[in-house]
Amino acid sequence: MVDRLANSEANTRRISIVENCFGAAGQPLTIPGRVLIGEGVLTKLCRKKPKARQFFLFNDILVYGNIVIQKKKYNKQHIIPLENVTIDSIQDEGDLRNGWLIKTPTKSFAVYAATATEKSEWMNHINKCVSDLLSKSGKTPSNEHAAVWVPDSEATVCMRCQKAKFTPVNRRHHCRKCGFVVCGPCSEKRFLLPSQSSKPVRICDFCYDLLSTGEMTACQSARSDSYSQSPKSPLNDVSDDDDDEDSSD
């Protein structure tokens, strides 16, 4: 089915519409063999609060962006190669339901669909696309992924020292290795994580010690595998802002 659509006029037209919606700031999406599988609005759990994002699933990439005008204009385009993606279901809790984790070596995050059926369809299509890509390339599934960041609202005190309270002056920071919300004194060190950045990034003292001694597996956060066990931030928390995953903190 995908192969038949690859060179169809309808598929080319659909991809062109997506490109136009992102405008000049977006990357070109039309390449030979690329097929737009589906699209829809998902709720992405960002650092400050859950936010609606427009997602587009192609047979080789996952694209998402901020909604400026629904079905007409999007910005802050993000492109994720599917061959690096693994997904895991999240248990329902509170207002956040029908969710799953999208995990890659560069970044990992949670998204939520409007219904259980929609969740199932998204996960099935993503898994099928990833499976087809790996089958064609002969590559093995990625076993490395970035930590899922703990939302700011889940931590009133530093998750490492358990003492420092967060205030407008004592800001929250995120460890790029475990994803925990930590205070400044507990995350003063930097470490090179090549899959995430070409420059050393902020990590907490706990992860730094483990990475420095080569105990990298011990530093892997269990959060991404037990994400649903932690409390979730409410959907109406904190004022609106841009996506936070590229924040320096």
Side-chain angles (χ1 to χ4, degrees):
M1 179 65 176
V2 170
D3 292 336
R4 291 203 303 271
L5 288 172
N7 299 312
S8 71
E9 183 178 333
N11 177 64
T12 301
R13 185 168 58 251
R14 291 177 67 202
I15 295 179
S16 178
I17 291 173
V18 176
E19 287 181 328
N20 292 335
C21 285
F22 278 105
Q27 295 293 317
L29 299 173
T30 302
I31 65 170
R34 176 168 290 164
V35 176
L36 178 57
I37 305 297
E39 61 182 271
V41 177
L42 299 174
T43 297
K44 179 177 179 291
L45 191 59
C46 299
R47 176 179 176 179
K48 297 293 184 183
K49 68 172 184 176
K51 301 172 186 176
R53 296 287 182 255
Q54 182 73 29
F55 280 78
F56 300 91
L57 176 63
F58 296 82
N59 60 328
D60 62 332
I61 58 174
L62 182 66
V63 178
Y64 70 92
N66 294 8
I67 301 170
V68 180
I69 303 174
Q70 183 63 47
K71 296 186 180 299
K72 291 185 177 181
K73 185 176 181 181
Y74 310 110
N75 64 13
K76 295 186 180 295
Q77 182 190 72
H78 297 263
I79 299 177
I80 301 174
L82 281 179
E83 67 178 9
N84 297 325
V85 169
T86 57
I87 59 175
D88 289 322
S89 181
I90 302 174
Q91 294 180 5
D92 293 343
E93 185 171 344
D95 292 327
L96 297 178
R97 307 176 66 83
N98 310 312
W100 67 96
L101 295 178
I102 296 175
K103 303 189 294 184
T104 79
T106 304
K107 70 167 62 175
S108 301
F109 53 89
V111 292
Y112 298 84
T115 66
T117 299
E118 187 178 340
K119 169 186 174 178
S120 177
E121 290 177 347
W122 270 101
M123 293 189 70
N124 288 338
H125 283 305
I126 292 173
N127 278 328
K128 179 65 165 56
C129 289
V130 173
S131 177
D132 288 347
L133 279 174
L134 295 177
S135 177
K136 290 179 180 179
S137 67
K139 296 181 180 179
T140 57
S142 175
N143 58 6
E144 178 187 5
H145 60 268
V148 179
W149 282 22
V150 177
D152 284 2
S153 58
E154 290 190 20
T156 56
V157 299
C158 174
M159 298 178 71
R160 285 305 182 195
C161 69
Q162 299 289 322
K163 296 178 182 178
K165 293 184 178 181
F166 296 120
T167 67
V169 176
N170 186 31
R171 299 175 54 219
R172 293 171 171 84
H173 302 279
H174 278 83
C175 172
R176 299 308 195 272
K177 186 61 182 175
C178 66
F180 279 15
V181 183
V182 292
C183 64
C186 284
S187 59
E188 293 179 339
K189 298 182 174 65
R190 301 289 191 275
F191 200 92
L192 182 62
L193 301 176
S195 62
Q196 296 190 37
S197 174
S198 60
K199 299 178 180 179
V201 293
R202 180 188 294 271
I203 61 174
C204 67
D205 292 348
F206 176 79
C207 288
Y208 182 85
D209 291 342
L210 290 175
L211 287 166
S212 298
T213 56
E215 300 178 38
M216 295 190 68
T217 54
C219 190
Q220 293 292 339
S221 171
R223 182 178 178 78
S224 62
D225 298 319
S226 59
Y227 193 76
S228 60
Q229 297 176 9
S230 60
K232 299 297 188 300
S233 55
L235 287 171
N236 59 355
D237 186 32
V238 190
S239 60
D240 192 36
D241 54 9
D242 293 332
D243 253 339
D244 303 282
E245 55 271 343
D246 294 325
S247 165
S248 60
D249 293 316

